[in-house]
Amino acid sequence: MSGSTTSAPDRPLAGVLLLAALLLLAGCGAKEVVVAGRFPEPTMSKLPLTLGVWYDDAFRQHEFFDEAKGRAETDWLVRTGEAQVQLWDTLLAGMFERVVPMDARPAPEQMNPAVDAVLIPRVDELQYAIPAQTNIKVYEIWMRYAFELVTTQGETIADWTMTAYGKTPTAFLQSDEAAVNLAAVVALRDAGAHFATSFTRVPEVTAWMDALDAPTTMAAGPETPR
């Protein structure tokens, strides 16, 4: 809603406008989807790290709204926040030795749990394609994530982006809502798979992990020849 204000219309006119709005909403049939699905843990050796993770409110409550462009189209409201948290909680628990939820974004002089670093994910962009004026229920969803890995004092270790894509694998679904939900679940699973295979390949992450190992290697020292 905008911040502007208008004077209240006369009561008869207000009643007519309200009735027209209700009829318009009934005709539009706006569709809402709360994304839900299963996200299995990755099958991989866990990284020997204690990772903190913080989801801000925008991430936890992520949703996107698409307003109909014409009478033949429908408004869509797709809520992905709960599924986002479910996916990343499951994924990170399968990737790292220990995962610690954070109460807030790390900052200087802030009491934080003992972790090696804190991951902060966000959804930067989401696009979707729907079948226009057809009964074939094949939907596509594309997402761009941004990740920030920071110290417990909030200093940036690494900052990178990653894309994910999902498409309904079949047109034989009972409803448009089911097709959109499935496309979103496939996109989330794709995001998880990409993150699991690319995390240690991010140059700044690689350098940080090497630095964590360095003190242990130096303390051990070179082997003494016999």
Side-chain angles (χ1 to χ4, degrees), residues 149 157-160 199-210:
L149 189 69
I157 298 170
D159 194 348
W160 73 102
F199 176 76
T200 57
R201 298 177 185 175
V202 176
E204 294 85 355
V205 172
T206 302
W208 168 71
M209 293 181 66
D210 288 344

Side-chain angles (χ1 to χ4, degrees), residues 75-194:
D75 290 344
W76 279 95
L77 176 61
V78 181
R79 305 181 188 274
T80 73
E82 291 183 12
Q84 295 280 3
V85 172
Q86 181 188 352
L87 163 71
W88 292 101
D89 278 351
T90 303
L91 175 73
L92 298 176
M95 282 184 63
F96 298 91
E97 196 170 83
R98 185 167 174 247
V99 177
V100 179
M102 307 294 288
D103 294 330
R105 182 187 176 95
E109 300 180 2
Q110 177 178 301
M111 295 296 294
N112 290 305
V115 297
D116 293 310
V118 179
L119 180 72
I120 305 172
R122 69 177 186 268
V123 180
D124 263 4
E125 188 177 356
L126 188 150
Q127 299 176 3
Y128 82 109
I130 64 174
Q133 299 179 353
T134 176
N135 291 324
I136 300 176
K137 296 180 177 63
V138 176
Y139 290 75
E140 296 174 280
I141 288 181
W142 176 89
M143 290 186 285
R144 183 174 67 203
Y145 285 90
F147 300 97
E148 189 177 4
L149 189 69
V150 303
T151 68
T152 54
Q153 297 302 302
E155 298 172 351
T156 300
I157 298 170
D159 194 348
W160 73 102
T161 60
M162 183 193 77
T163 59
Y165 171 77
K167 178 180 179 181
T168 52
T170 176
F172 300 102
L173 292 170
Q174 293 181 348
S175 67
D176 293 324
E177 290 88 344
V180 169
N181 183 81
L182 184 54
V185 169
V186 173
L188 289 171
R189 290 176 179 172
D190 185 57
H194 282 189

Side-chain angles (χ1 to χ4, degrees), residues 44-103:
M44 59 183 293
S45 298
K46 291 188 178 183
L47 297 171
L49 297 169
T50 297
L51 182 76
V53 60
W54 181 62
Y55 309 125
D56 65 11
D57 289 340
F59 190 83
R60 288 183 175 277
Q61 302 167 15
H62 181 263
E63 63 183 34
F64 70 93
F65 175 75
D66 185 63
E67 186 176 3
K69 304 301 187 296
R71 293 184 178 180
E73 299 181 13
T74 304
D75 290 344
W76 279 95
L77 176 61
V78 181
R79 305 181 188 274
T80 73
E82 291 183 12
Q84 295 280 3
V85 172
Q86 181 188 352
L87 163 71
W88 292 101
D89 278 351
T90 303
L91 175 73
L92 298 176
M95 282 184 63
F96 298 91
E97 196 170 83
R98 185 167 174 247
V99 177
V100 179
M102 307 294 288
D103 294 330

